[in-house]
Amino acid sequence: MLTRSGAWAVLVVVFAETALPAVGVFLPGDTLLLPAGLACSLSTLGAARLSLPLVLACAGVGSLAGAQTGFWLGRRGGRAMRLRRPGSRGEARTRRAEALFTRYGPRRAVLLGRFVPVVRTLVHPAAGLLGMPAASFTLWQSLAGIVWSQSLVLAGYALGESGRHGVAYLAPVIGAVVAAGLLPPAIEWLRTRRAPSVLAGADRDAPAADGRPRPRPTPDGRAPSASDPGRA
């Protein structure tokens, strides 16, 4: 992609990834910016070498313009998304977006969501859908977008400038960046899985309505009967 289209591939892909949920989840973000920065280093020779200022500019413009476009798409299409039939995939995504913004607040959701794959594609339309003020969204998405896009390009450039030894670490670094982005959702998923069992245990240990302890189940899993000697 970089060989065929150069820095303009960065602009188009980053814009689409942050603006269009229908296609953005299938496009590379982190995995494109690091090699793009690498292609700007002196270790890249010939026509494959890219201009670092141009790549930084394309990454920044694509990131900011894409997020802002996604926000306005969510704002414009919010009513249609809310009117989707119950149980549909669109309604499920709307509920997940609402839960994300409720848990972390609009600013943290926009700021942190930029660094998480897949969430990065959905968080901007969700902000528009949920009515986040445009001025606040623009401020926080701009801050997150600049840090995300420029840091990854410069990290790839630094790897290239360090010579062959640094280039060998490109794939592990990409894997580490993607893994770090997926870590917060994984932790949240584990917490969600644990929550029902914790609540069930607390409910089981709580006293009955009459104040007496709840009977413990027998080893075979059945509740003890009145004739069981250990009931008292």
Side-chain angles (χ1 to χ4, degrees), residues 160-179:
E161 287 294 290
S162 62
R164 292 182 179 272
H165 184 71
V167 173
Y169 287 99
L170 179 63
V173 168
I174 291 176
V177 169
V178 174

Side-chain angles (χ1 to χ4, degrees), residues 3-19:
T3 302
R4 289 195 304 268
S5 304
W8 304 113
V10 175
L11 175 64
V12 173
V13 170
V14 171
F15 175 85
E17 190 206 19
T18 52

Side-chain angles (χ1 to χ4, degrees), residues 103 184-199:
R103 180 175 179 82
I187 294 175
E188 186 65 23
W189 180 78
L190 290 175
R191 288 178 178 176
T192 304
R193 290 292 301 270
R194 288 186 58 190
S197 60
V198 172
L199 292 176

